[in-house]
Amino acid sequence: MTLTPDHAAVFSPPAAGGRFAAGEDPAKRQQILAGAKRVFMKMGFDAASMNDVTREAGVSKGTLYVYFTNKEELFSAMIEAERAAFVAAVRTALAEHDDPEAGLYEFGISFVTHMTDEKVISAMRTVLGVRDRMPVLCQRFFKGPVNLRTIMRDFLERHIAEGRLEIDDIDLAAGQFLDLASGSFFKLRLFGSMEEPPPRDEIERVIRGAIRVFMAAYGARRHETVRPHP
């Protein structure tokens, strides 16, 4: 899981003389988030400290606190940046396909590969571990204002409008494909029953099966009738 800049954040332009105002330099913010990610992934949320982050990110404590007031805020920003980057990548992948089956395949492979990656599983466990203290973080991480279900809904709506799919309950259909695609992989990885990510060929097998089931239920062709030849 590669950390990319949080494009959802809005930064003020540099002040006169080409310098950013305190706490508004996106490169410095990214430097801190990258260091924080390494610390949290290595030590976990509870064991990590702001001092650890300053050393790993190569910034002073004063600089760190200009950008993030505490460890909770820093952790939240790191998780949100990770989530936003993956969601943006998935949205781009879906937008590139006019064929719904090709789009679902691309989405499914990316989704399962990402969700079963060791770093992602570690982050998920960390988020669940602070759920009682930081319930809003968990809600944002697993739901968010823009999440996978939202993106899937947009994708399905486009293909419904273009006559390729016929779906009455779009939210239900979006959730069904996510469940079909993830299969048991995610739960097995999260709870430690599957120690390694599933092999690519097994992911492909599951995604192809998910697409067959989904298109059998929602593909526009299911309503076509065979008419006798005159």
Side-chain angles (χ1 to χ4, degrees), residues 13-214:
R19 299 186 63 182
F20 287 93
E24 296 183 353
D25 183 347
K28 184 63 67 176
R29 176 185 171 88
Q30 175 61 20
Q31 178 183 343
I32 294 171
L33 287 174
K37 179 188 173 182
R38 293 190 294 270
V39 169
F40 286 129
M41 292 299 101
K42 179 171 60 177
M43 304 178 65
F45 177 80
D46 288 320
S49 70
M50 294 291 267
N51 286 335
D52 294 320
V53 175
T54 60
R55 287 191 294 270
E56 186 67 32
V59 298
S60 69
K61 186 178 291 187
T63 297
L64 177 61
Y65 280 101
V66 165
Y67 285 84
F68 303 100
T69 57
N70 54 48
K71 185 172 69 170
E72 289 76 12
E73 182 180 319
L74 176 57
F75 183 74
S76 296
M78 184 204 75
I79 292 297
E80 180 63 19
E82 293 286 341
R83 186 197 64 80
F86 177 64
V87 167
V90 170
R91 184 192 291 279
T92 299
L94 284 177
E96 292 175 349
H97 294 285
D98 292 328
D99 177 4
E101 293 190 38
L104 291 172
Y105 180 82
E106 184 84 18
F107 170 85
I109 296 295
S110 298
F111 171 59
V112 175
T113 301
H114 174 83
M115 294 299 288
T116 58
D117 180 80
E118 184 61 37
K119 292 180 180 178
V120 175
I121 291 297
S122 177
M124 292 274 191
R125 290 170 179 158
T126 300
V127 171
L128 291 173
V130 300
R131 180 185 49 133
D132 292 338
R133 286 173 289 160
M134 305 171 67
V136 174
L137 171 64
C138 290
Q139 293 169 8
R140 290 176 64 188
F141 186 79
F142 289 105
K143 295 181 181 179
V146 179
N147 57 31
L148 293 177
R149 192 178 292 250
T150 303
I151 291 174
M152 179 61 66
R153 179 186 176 89
D154 292 343
F155 173 79
L156 297 179
E157 286 179 339
R158 175 165 68 91
H159 287 288
I160 291 169
E162 294 171 354
R164 300 186 184 97
L165 298 173
E166 295 183 2
I167 302 173
D168 296 324
D169 190 331
I170 300 177
D171 286 328
L172 175 63
Q176 286 172 334
F177 186 76
L178 290 173
D179 289 340
L180 287 169
S182 60
S184 59
F185 292 143
F186 176 63
K187 291 180 181 178
L188 291 174
R189 290 285 288 133
L190 185 63
F191 296 110
S193 297
M194 180 184 289
E195 295 183 359
E196 299 290 336
R200 171 78 182 210
D201 59 348
E202 181 63 12
I203 294 176
E204 291 176 349
R205 185 181 72 85
V206 169
I207 298 304
R208 291 193 186 99
I211 293 171
R212 283 196 298 271
V213 172
F214 189 84

